[in-house]
Amino acid sequence: MAICGTYYRTSIRRVRRNFRDDVHREMAKARLETDHESLEWINSFLVKFWPIYAPVLCTTIVNSVDQVLSTSTPAFLDSLRLKFFTLGSKPPRMDHVKTYPKAEDDTVLMDWKFSFTPNDVLDLTARQLKNKVNPKIVLEIRVGKGVISKGLDIIVEDMAFSGLMRVKVKLQIPFPHIEKVEICFLGKPEIDYVCKPLGGDMLGVDINFIPGLESFIKEQIHGNLAPIMYDPNVFPIEIAKMLAGNPVDQAIGVLAVTVHGAQGLKNPDKLAGTPDPYAVVSLNSRNALGRTKTVKENANPRWNETMHLIITSLTDSLTLQVYDWNEYRKDKEMGVATFALDQLEQSTEHENLRLEVTANGKSRGLVQADVRFFPILEGNKLEDGTIEQAPESNTGIARFTVEQAKDLDGSKSLIGTLNPYAILLLNGKEIHQTRKLKRTNAPVWDNGSKELLITDRKAARLGLVIKDDRDIAADPILGTYQIKVDDMLQLMEKGQEWYNLAGAKTGRAKLMLQWKPVALKGVTGGSGGYLTPIGVMRIHCQNARDLRNLETMGKSDPYVRVLLSGVEKGKTVTFQNNLNPDWDEVIYVPVHSTREKLVLEVMDQENLGKDRSLGLFELAAAEYIRQAENGEYVVHDDKKPISADLRLSGKGAAKGKLNFTAAFYPTLNLADPEEEEADKENEKRQSSVDGSRPSIEAGSRKSLENGSVTVSDKEREPGKIDMSLSKQLSRNEREQEETDKIKLPPKLRLTPEELFKYGGSHQFHPED
């Protein structure tokens, strides 16, 4: 009886508790749809957190806005600078929030009411009133030029802002579990401020007192914000893409476009006669990325030209715009042919395409072209999610970045401050120019990156020239830097970021280089994807003991394979039905840098299906590759026995051991007569070009010593080689300190007889 009574009371208590919880939950859901939630806990937190965070936020805003203003200064002003910025001591306030529980399962939808009213002091304590700081912005505009200039302060203070914002959070299953956040204003937010363009704090008068001006300014503000973030327009924040580590503006591969010719081109202007056609290659009809030659008076031209384009997305369209060349007037567009790049996802090669040229919906002929896509080479993705190192290649895409410079030589300017900009070069040819900043000796460029297609990495040289922008005179050079791509990759591996500028008293630049290998076929002017190895790794696979047995009946059939960058370079014979095989085989693997890793993996051979892994071991080439003081690679042939634990995918519990030895034998760094002859020809060609312009040489010798060039920077065309600039880069390269740290092996010069004799007497054998 007692047990039944206890059971009854416990059951009733549980039912009542569950019923009460259900009622409360349903009532809370009903309130979510109709009522607003208070956010006083956030406001209480902001009161204490704002004095700590606001100064840091204001400093960050000043540094960021200063760079934007420097690049956006109108021509009639000398400079624009954010002189002072503070948001005050009173934090913004979250008034309430409304949540929509009936939104889609993967969507969180909320309306946030917020306000920033620093002049409302009714809710402040006496202590807070005593220490109160009002928000204030001081923008300095400098009128005039150089030493004959005057700074004027524009003051904006007592800002107030309030509005209702809708926040939509889109969820996803993969990390970071938030795909994107969309925000927009529901209605126009309330904006108030005091603006004093003249007179400063003491004598300044608020311009909003002028009739009609306040409403006009607010209409301009709302007019600019409405297309961006006023409902129904939303401002998206792509959280997943931001945290993915793959920026959307980085290259994914190279597009080779071969334009063979065109057929039946019709000129829209019937009175223009036979056209003189040429084709321009671009993406989505934006900036021209390549152009064919012009064929005179031919409606069926043959170009047979190949252009290589670096692309960042396969969602774009390749456009071939056909123009009719005119000598005295603007070239006329005859029509456009398009090719959707998403077709390359199914097949990377499309040959003998016949693309229709259209204009105003009418056919104007056909363009014959081939389109091939060469993606960047990436390491294989393992089962545990890790990605192996990408294979080495002599062709690829280099992302060259100049991020900032410091301690530039201000003595080059009469006022002590410079207007610097940077020029990036590849093999002496200008490829990119940054924005021109105003009045700073420590510039930070937000557009200092350029992606380049490099067809011969071992011969490519990257260059940097920093200049001071002058309105009338030639822009003087503040410093230069030039380095080989291979050398910079080697320094980047050691953590080098800052490089001291050559040809200058002071100054250093922060440079970065990212390399993405591409197996580009049919490239002329380089060695293709082949990269000369620095030596070979000798792997002597002796035996294995106590291997995993993945067979339900019998035993595994093991063999060892050696992989480099996910590519199999060699393997042993297979031992049938044996968990303790004795291979005693030697595998030679060419290596190209100390960054490479070899993977020794024991596999179980299968007659049906894929072979299965019994475990692997990673061997770093850097442990065996050493350089002498003269840069020559040293033989490492100690051949110490190694007993490595085998783990599946390199992780987890070990099972079985692989016994082997490893050694390194460097290759001979032989001088290539063809390369040396080509270098001599280039030197002769450069000296002949310099000698053919004695007036330039004579007039520029003194200016070069002073860090300037005679060729006007306004007249210099991008993509052209400036011989005087190239000469100064080469001369200043001898002063660079970082390149002295790079050790290059000495070159050997052998006759064919000596090479045959040397090779015949220095062969490596498995028994060595």
Side-chain angles (χ1 to χ4, degrees):
M1 198 68 173
I3 294 175
C4 293
T6 303
Y7 174 77
Y8 174 77
R9 287 194 301 271
T10 303
S11 301
I12 289 296
R13 187 167 57 250
R14 287 175 178 171
V15 170
R16 288 175 178 173
R17 184 185 64 220
N18 293 338
F19 177 76
R20 185 169 56 250
D21 291 344
D22 291 340
V23 171
H24 286 167
R25 185 167 52 252
E26 291 301 322
M27 292 177 65
K29 286 183 179 180
R31 286 197 301 269
L32 282 178
E33 298 179 4
T34 57
D35 299 342
H36 299 98
E37 295 182 71
S38 173
L39 293 172
E40 289 305 319
W41 64 273
I42 292 184
N43 296 324
S44 178
F45 169 77
L46 286 176
V47 168
K48 299 181 179 180
F49 181 69
W50 186 253
I52 301 173
Y53 179 66
V56 179
L57 176 62
C58 293
T59 303
T60 304
I61 291 175
V62 169
N63 294 334
S64 301
V65 173
D66 252 353
Q67 295 296 324
V68 176
L69 293 177
S70 181
T71 60
S72 306
T73 304
F76 60 87
L77 295 178
D78 188 44
S79 67
L80 278 175
R81 189 169 68 90
L82 189 60
K83 190 175 180 179
F84 182 77
F85 181 86
T86 180
L87 291 172
S89 56
K90 184 179 179 181
R93 177 180 175 81
M94 303 298 169
D95 296 331
H96 60 74
V97 62
K98 181 180 179 181
T99 307
Y100 295 89
K102 293 184 179 180
E104 297 179 3
D105 293 340
D106 60 346
T107 302
V108 178
L109 191 62
M110 297 177 289
D111 291 343
W112 290 71
K113 179 71 168 64
F114 69 95
S115 60
F116 180 63
T117 54
N119 292 325
D120 186 358
V121 297
L122 294 179
D123 57 342
L124 297 182
T125 64
R127 185 175 182 180
Q128 290 174 336
L129 280 173
K130 183 179 178 181
N131 300 323
K132 182 176 180 294
V133 177
N134 290 328
K136 185 177 182 180
I137 302 173
V138 180
L139 178 67
E140 182 190 64
I141 61 171
R142 185 164 290 273
V143 182
K145 291 294 179 181
V147 293
I148 311 175
S149 61
K150 174 64 176 176
L152 303 175
D153 290 344
I154 298 178
I155 300 174
V156 179
E157 56 187 0
D158 297 340
M159 296 90 69
F161 192 84
S162 63
L164 181 62
M165 179 175 287
R166 172 158 292 178
V167 180
K168 183 178 180 181
V169 182
K170 183 75 172 178
L171 306 178
Q172 64 177 17
I173 295 177
F175 181 83
H177 310 303
I178 297 178
E179 180 183 351
K180 62 181 177 180
V181 177
E182 295 179 346
I183 58 177
C184 69
F185 284 107
L186 300 177
K188 295 180 180 180
E190 294 293 331
I191 302 172
D192 191 21
Y193 60 93
V194 173
C195 181
K196 301 176 182 178
L198 296 173
D201 285 322
M202 298 295 295
L203 302 176
V205 178
D206 186 7
I207 63 171
N208 289 326
F209 293 154
I210 301 176
L213 186 58
E214 181 182 10
S215 59
F216 173 76
I217 294 176
K218 289 185 178 180
E219 286 176 3
Q220 294 298 314
I221 295 174
H222 292 311
N224 284 281
L225 290 178
I228 301 175
M229 54 190 317
Y230 284 6
D231 188 56
N233 302 312
V234 296
F235 182 78
I237 304 174
E238 301 285 351
I239 303 294
K241 291 182 179 179
M242 292 169 63
L243 299 179
N246 294 318
V248 294
D249 63 336
Q250 289 200 1
I252 62 172
V254 177
L255 193 68
V257 182
T258 301
V259 186
H260 296 294
Q263 288 183 345
L265 293 179
K266 300 175 182 178
N267 202 322
D269 189 355
K270 297 181 180 180
L271 302 177
T274 306
D276 304 324
Y278 66 89
V280 173
V281 180
S282 62
L283 296 176
N284 297 332
S285 298
R286 295 194 293 262
N287 297 333
L289 302 176
R291 170 182 166 166
T292 67
K293 61 186 177 183
T294 301
V295 179
K296 296 294 185 67
E297 297 185 355
N298 195 333
N300 302 288
R302 303 300 298 174
W303 292 300
N304 293 323
E305 296 184 31
T306 299
M307 287 154 276
H308 294 91
L309 317 178
I310 298 176
I311 60 174
T312 59
S313 172
L314 292 179
T315 59
D316 297 326
S317 293
L318 175 70
T319 52
L320 300 171
Q321 298 166 284
V322 182
Y323 287 88
D324 178 19
W325 178 82
N326 290 283
E327 184 175 0
Y328 301 108
R329 55 187 176 88
K330 184 179 179 181
D331 298 348
K332 189 167 186 179
E333 183 177 326
M334 302 175 63
V336 180
T338 60
F339 176 80
L341 295 183
D342 56 7
Q343 301 179 52
L344 297 171
E345 296 177 355
Q346 304 296 329
S347 175
T348 57
E349 295 190 4
H350 293 261
E351 298 182 351
N352 300 319
L353 294 173
R354 296 173 63 84
L355 306 175
E356 185 178 16
V357 180
T358 59
N360 299 324
K362 297 181 180 180
S363 177
R364 298 295 178 182
L366 295 174
V367 170
Q368 301 158 343
D370 298 338
V371 178
R372 298 180 179 87
F373 176 58
F374 302 96
I376 60 173
L377 300 178
E378 297 179 336
N380 295 329
K381 189 172 183 179
L382 303 178
E383 295 179 358
D384 60 353
T386 58
I387 299 178
E388 296 179 338
Q389 182 184 355
E392 295 284 347
S393 176
N394 196 44
T395 59
I397 300 171
R399 185 180 180 88
F400 186 32
T401 302
V402 53
E403 185 177 289
Q404 58 179 307
K406 289 185 178 180
D407 306 325
L408 296 180
D409 187 6
S411 63
K412 297 287 183 72
S413 174
L414 294 176
I415 58 176
T417 55
L418 305 166
N419 302 324
Y421 65 97
I423 298 174
L424 303 182
L425 303 100
L426 174 63
N427 297 330
K429 182 184 296 184
E430 180 183 336
I431 52 173
H432 182 64
Q433 179 177 303
T434 66
R435 293 190 179 94
K436 298 177 180 180
L437 306 184
K438 295 286 187 180
R439 289 182 173 267
T440 176
N441 294 351
V444 178
W445 291 288
D446 59 350
N447 68 329
S449 296
K450 181 66 176 179
E451 289 188 319
L452 325 163
L453 175 61
I454 294 181
T455 58
D456 190 0
R457 192 179 90 179
K458 63 182 180 181
R461 287 178 178 270
L462 298 173
L464 167 70
V465 177
I466 298 180
K467 293 187 175 185
D468 182 26
D469 182 35
R470 300 288 175 87
D471 292 327
I472 301 176
D475 297 346
I477 294 177
L478 304 175
T480 66
Y481 202 87
Q482 184 168 256
I483 188 172
K484 288 185 176 180
V485 171
D486 279 342
D487 293 345
M488 188 168 180
L489 289 174
Q490 188 174 341
L491 291 174
M492 290 280 294
E493 185 181 349
K494 297 177 181 178
Q496 183 85 26
E497 287 186 341
W498 289 92
Y499 299 82
N500 294 319
L501 298 175
K505 296 179 183 178
T506 60
R508 54 199 178 109
K510 186 177 181 181
L511 304 176
M512 291 179 289
L513 178 65
Q514 294 176 327
W515 175 257
K516 297 179 180 180
V518 177
L520 202 59
K521 301 176 183 177
V523 176
T524 58
S527 57
Y530 176 75
L531 193 64
T532 305
I534 61 175
V536 293
M537 291 289 296
R538 178 186 185 272
I539 309 297
H540 182 195
C541 301
Q542 296 169 337
N543 55 62
R545 293 293 180 261
D546 194 24
L547 294 176
R548 284 183 174 83
N549 188 9
L550 302 180
E551 302 291 342
T552 54
M553 297 180 61
K555 300 177 181 179
S556 299
D557 306 324
Y559 68 91
V560 178
R561 65 174 184 172
V562 181
L563 299 96
L564 180 66
S565 300
V567 180
E568 184 179 299
K569 296 296 182 180
K571 65 179 181 179
T572 66
V573 297
T574 302
F575 273 61
Q576 302 292 331
N577 199 32
N578 194 332
L579 300 180
N580 299 285
D582 294 294
W583 293 292
D584 194 23
E585 289 190 42
V586 174
I587 300 174
Y588 289 94
V589 180
V591 291
H592 310 85
S593 73
T594 57
R595 299 186 297 272
E596 294 182 320
K597 290 184 178 181
L598 282 73
V599 175
L600 282 65
E601 187 173 19
V602 181
M603 303 293 292
D604 177 22
Q605 189 179 55
E606 295 291 323
N607 294 326
L608 298 175
K610 293 176 61 177
D611 296 349
R612 297 176 291 182
S613 175
L614 301 178
L616 59 85
F617 176 77
E618 284 190 353
L619 185 67
E623 297 180 6
Y624 297 87
I625 301 176
R626 297 287 185 272
Q627 280 184 282
E629 292 183 358
N630 63 349
E632 185 175 2
Y633 290 101
V634 180
V635 174
H636 188 293
D637 59 352
D638 294 343
K639 301 175 184 174
K640 293 182 180 180
I642 300 174
S643 183
D645 293 328
L646 296 174
R647 291 178 169 84
L648 293 176
S649 300
K651 297 182 179 181
K655 174 61 176 174
K657 287 187 176 292
L658 175 64
N659 300 309
F660 66 97
T661 65
F664 171 74
Y665 300 102
T667 56
L668 298 177
N669 188 27
L670 297 180
D672 189 344
E674 294 182 358
E675 289 185 3
E676 292 183 340
E677 189 65 27
D679 292 340
K680 291 180 181 179
E681 288 294 329
N682 290 334
E683 292 178 2
K684 290 180 181 179
R685 192 180 301 111
Q686 180 171 341
S687 61
S688 64
V689 171
D690 294 338
S692 64
R693 292 192 255 180
S695 59
I696 294 180
E697 178 66 24
S700 63
R701 186 175 291 114
K702 184 175 180 180
S703 60
L704 280 172
E705 293 173 357
N706 294 331
S708 62
V709 293
T710 56
V711 180
S712 172
D713 295 277
K714 282 70 178 175
E715 298 175 359
R716 176 172 33 80
E717 297 181 17
K720 301 294 184 182
I721 297 180
D722 187 340
M723 298 308 299
S724 59
L725 187 60
S726 178
K727 185 177 180 180
Q728 185 167 359
L729 272 172
S730 301
R731 185 179 62 183
N732 290 348
E733 189 175 357
R734 303 166 191 163
E735 306 174 13
Q736 296 172 183
E737 301 174 359
E738 292 80 9
T739 51
D740 294 337
K741 305 176 185 177
I742 302 171
K743 300 176 182 179
L744 297 177
K747 290 189 176 183
L748 300 178
R749 289 173 174 79
L750 302 178
T751 63
E753 293 79 10
E754 291 174 330
L755 181 61
F756 178 78
K757 181 179 179 181
Y758 192 94
S761 59
H762 289 77
Q763 293 180 356
F764 299 120
H765 301 281
E767 62 269 21
D768 289 346

